Amino acid sequence: QVQLMENGGGLVQPGGSLRLSCAASGRIYSIHTMTWYRQAPGKQRDLVAAITNDGSTNYAGSVKGRFTVSRDNAKNTVYLQMNNLNADDTAVYYCNARVRVSSRWPPEYLELWGPGTLVTVSS
């Protein structure tokens, strides 16, 4: 089966930086879209940043200019570089991927979630 695993969460001071990664493993034909979401206590899960298979990106307004999403297709990995962090960035960050699992026609896609990684911004 295909699995996603986030890494890089932890405690960071306001104004600091953190880099998250999410690696997909298992039988994968291709990965079309990889997306970062986050969920703070008592709030809904919101989109943070997304990147398509051809490198097109999209960001939430609250993180534009501070966060950068990128991917390494050879490693089936997506990254989220987070700079100038503040308390509002505290949340569990989740990786989501739309994966094609085989070359069979018609194509079959799976939408997968990682278990999440906690980012805490506090002094």
Side-chain angles (χ1 to χ4, degrees):
Q1 70 277 11
V2 182
Q3 292 181 309
L4 301 180
M5 183 62 67
E6 303 96 339
N7 283 293
L11 177 65
V12 63
Q13 293 184 339
S17 298
L18 207 60
R19 191 191 192 204
L20 306 182
S21 65
C22 172
S25 61
R27 187 175 182 182
I28 300 168
Y29 182 75
S30 63
I31 302 177
H32 292 264
T33 306
M34 303 189 80
T35 306
W36 288 99
Y37 290 80
R38 68 185 182 187
Q39 187 167 21
K43 297 185 178 181
Q44 65 181 354
R45 187 174 299 185
D46 291 326
L47 173 73
V48 178
I51 184 167
T52 65
N53 59 322
D54 62 358
S56 179
T57 58
N58 187 38
Y59 296 92
S62 59
V63 307
K64 286 183 179 179
R66 299 190 297 122
F67 290 11
T68 302
V69 64
S70 61
R71 65 190 287 171
D72 185 337
N73 291 330
K75 297 181 178 180
N76 289 327
T77 299
V78 62
Y79 304 93
L80 185 67
Q81 178 65 48
M82 305 184 294
N83 298 325
N84 194 24
L85 289 161
N86 58 64
D88 291 335
D89 297 316
T90 296
V92 177
Y93 285 71
Y94 297 93
C95 177
N96 174 275
R98 189 183 182 211
V99 179
R100 185 176 178 180
V101 298
S102 76
S103 62
R104 186 181 305 169
W105 192 263
E108 179 183 356
Y109 297 96
L110 297 178
E111 184 175 327
L112 304 174
W113 291 91
T117 185
L118 177 63
V119 173
T120 302
V121 184
S122 176
S123 59

